[in-house]
């Protein structure tokens, strides 16, 4: 097996295991919030996932991980934890019954997701930059 084929296999395995972890975390979060009757679990998952992906992206500007780590955490864990399809289904369901709450759901999810991704990016970039500075001092 060629080295490039081996790296592709490692990347895919990393994504698969990350997706399992992210999906399981999403499932547990949703189970714990079913009693609310509102899709708050999906909002939390997508907002938290946006922050974490931003954090990783900002951190990886300074700290260059192996590709399989980057893919496993970003594509795998964050991809498995967040869910666009459930968000879309929730929007349709909410707007059919409560247009106002459906609109609030969309605004909070989209604007909040973008703002939290930016906040995560800035935090990750600051953390990564500080790590580089610590290593430069030594």
């Amino acid at each position: 097996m060629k080295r490039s084929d081996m790296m592709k296999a490692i990347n895919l395995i990393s994504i698969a295991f990350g997706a399992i972890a992210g999906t399981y975390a999403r499932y547990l979060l949703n189970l714990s919030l079913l009693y609310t009757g509102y899709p708050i679990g999906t909002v939390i998952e997508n907002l938290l996932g946006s922050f974490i992906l931003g954090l990783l992206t900002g951190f990886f500007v300074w700290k260059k991980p192996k590709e399989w780590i980057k893919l496993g955490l970003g594509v795998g864990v964050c991809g498995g934890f967040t869910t666009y399809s459930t968000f879309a289904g929730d929007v349709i369901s909410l707007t059919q019954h409560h247009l106002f709450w459906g609109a609030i759901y969309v605004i909070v999810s989209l604007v909040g997701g973008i703002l939290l991704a930016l906040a995560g990016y800035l935090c990750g970039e600051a953390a990564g930059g500080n790590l580089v500075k610590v290593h430069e001092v030594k």
Side-chain angles (χ1 to χ4, degrees):
M1 180 180 261
K2 293 190 304 189
R3 179 162 171 72
S4 62
D5 291 338
M6 179 70 83
M7 292 310 302
K8 287 179 188 176
I10 290 170
N11 289 345
L12 286 173
I13 291 167
S14 178
I15 291 168
F17 278 103
I20 290 167
T23 303
Y24 186 63
R26 181 177 79 219
Y27 174 71
L28 291 176
L29 179 63
N30 270 314
L31 275 181
S32 69
L33 296 171
L34 280 177
Y35 70 92
T36 66
Y38 189 80
I40 192 70
T42 305
V43 173
I44 293 170
E45 293 155 8
N46 289 336
L47 293 178
L48 184 58
S50 295
F51 178 81
I52 293 169
L53 189 57
L55 184 74
L56 292 170
T57 303
F59 187 77
F60 293 157
V61 165
W62 292 97
K63 180 78 172 146
K64 304 292 184 202
K66 294 186 185 318
E67 189 69 11
W68 66 269
I69 293 172
K70 188 175 170 180
L71 291 171
L73 292 174
V75 177
V77 174
C78 290
F81 186 67
T82 59
T83 173
Y84 184 78
S85 57
T86 302
F87 165 75
D90 290 344
V91 169
I92 291 168
S93 177
L94 283 170
T95 54
Q96 285 179 339
H97 303 314
H98 306 284
L99 184 59
F100 174 78
W101 289 114
I104 294 296
Y105 181 79
V106 169
I107 292 166
V108 167
S109 295
L110 295 179
V111 175
I114 292 167
L115 291 175
L116 284 170
L118 175 61
Y121 180 86
L122 295 173
C123 290
E125 192 176 41
N130 286 333
L131 282 178
V132 169
K133 290 176 187 171
V134 167
H135 289 291
E136 288 173 355
V137 171
K138 290 183 179 181

